[in-house]
Amino acid sequence: MPVISFASSKGGAGKTTSTIVLGTELAQGASVVMIDADPAARLFRWSQIAKLPENIEVIKSDGERAILDEIENASLRAAFVLIDLEGSASRLASFAIGESDLVVIPSGEEQQDADAAVETIAEVAREGRARRRKISAVVLFCRTNAAVKSRLEKHIHRQLVAATTVLKTELHRRTAFSALHNAGAGLRELDRSEFNGVPKALENAQAFTVNVIDILLDELGADADAA
Ligand SMILES: Nc1ncnc2c1ncn2[C@@H]1O[C@H](COP(=O)(O)OP(=O)(O)OP(=O)(O)O)[C@@H](O)[C@H]1O
Ligand SMILES: [Mg+2]
């Protein structure tokens, strides 16, 4: 079953938030295991705040020696396996990327973010070469302004479009996304009287989920053609 890692060599890029968003949306129709592979364990902490649906399981990784078994076991029992990685290169991250069908690289719209995303794209390519298979990587812009883009922001987008696939959908900067870390569960469970912009955030989240599923389906098609 598809394994999707969230990676970026930059801390605070949006890995944990996008893991939560995709995981809770996929769980609307499928079983999901989310592996918290970051020693800071923010994803696991999120999972303890509110009751999650039965078809979501969040596990804390026991580290680089355990991750391959954890991924294999999770793949056997869930339709989707999501791995939230820490914000720096590590053996654990290499192992997880090497097992992934898709690596989502969250990025902001500053030069530092773009540089980190390019570095992470190169790392995914290296893992693919080492394993003699193509590992797809996509950039997901996070914390972006929903309004018109500045010249600098357009420039950053062009850089990343030249380097890899950039998802059409962005997770705009919205309180609803950051609130997930405190409220627990998913966007659908957020109290709309307490948090602004939940419907818009949910629109972003659904479009992001559709983008990811389309990419995975394309890959399946490509694999079938190659066989
Ligand atoms: N689309 C968004 N809108 C508003 N806030 C966001 C959004 N995405 C992320 N954030 C906020 O930005 C901060 C960093 O996000 P997150 O924890 O997801 O990044 P990370 O890449 O997992 O960081 P780390 O490398 O430290 O694990 C968090 O406080 C989160 O609430
Ligand atoms: Mg994180």
Side-chain angles (χ1 to χ4, degrees):
M1 290 293 123
V3 176
I4 305 166
S5 287
F6 292 77
S8 162
S9 53
K10 185 165 183 288
K15 296 177 288 296
T16 305
T17 309
S18 39
T19 306
I20 294 170
V21 166
L22 184 66
T24 49
E25 279 304 302
L26 288 171
Q28 292 300 309
S31 56
V32 179
V33 173
M34 302 192 213
I35 302 178
D36 189 342
D38 180 352
R42 295 207 178 87
L43 179 69
F44 191 74
R45 185 186 155 276
W46 160 82
S47 74
Q48 303 293 298
I49 299 172
K51 190 167 165 25
L52 296 174
E54 294 286 313
N55 62 348
I56 297 184
E57 187 188 343
V58 182
I59 61 175
K60 197 153 56 171
S61 172
D62 276 333
E64 66 179 49
R65 291 178 187 212
I67 190 74
L68 294 178
D69 288 335
E70 290 163 351
I71 295 171
E72 191 179 326
N73 291 335
S75 310
L76 293 175
R77 61 179 190 273
F80 294 94
V81 180
L82 273 51
I83 309 171
D84 181 25
L85 293 167
E86 68 180 311
S88 57
S90 64
R91 268 165 64 89
L92 191 158
S94 300
F95 288 152
I97 289 169
E99 291 301 309
S100 296
D101 298 288
L102 175 67
V103 180
V104 176
I105 305 171
S107 173
E109 287 178 311
E110 290 174 16
Q111 189 61 49
Q112 270 186 327
D113 298 293
D115 293 346
V118 168
E119 228 173 77
T120 311
I121 293 161
E123 198 200 330
V124 176
R126 279 195 298 275
E127 293 303 331
R129 277 181 71 185
R131 287 167 173 76
R132 294 177 193 277
R133 69 183 189 93
K134 185 180 176 298
I135 303 171
S136 297
V138 293
V139 167
L140 168 69
F141 276 104
C142 287
R143 279 176 290 113
T144 53
N145 199 329
V148 184
K149 298 209 181 297
S150 68
R151 280 177 64 165
L152 172 64
E153 288 161 355
K154 284 184 189 160
H155 175 67
I156 301 288
H157 275 252
R158 277 197 298 271
Q159 281 180 41
L160 291 183
V161 166
T164 193
T165 306
V166 174
L167 290 185
K168 266 198 304 249
T169 309
E170 303 177 7
L171 298 188
H172 296 308
R173 181 186 299 280
R174 295 191 191 283
T175 316
F177 288 124
S178 48
L180 293 172
H181 293 267
N182 297 93
L187 290 166
R188 291 162 198 268
E189 284 75 43
L190 279 184
D191 181 347
R192 295 183 182 206
S193 63
E194 197 179 337
F195 300 106
N196 284 331
V198 176
K200 291 268 183 213
L202 197 51
E203 258 175 50
N204 281 172
Q206 285 174 312
F208 167 40
T209 307
V210 169
N211 284 174
V212 167
I213 290 174
D214 283 347
I215 289 171
L216 292 171
L217 287 173
D218 277 354
E219 274 179 18
L220 273 177
D223 286 351
D225 289 346

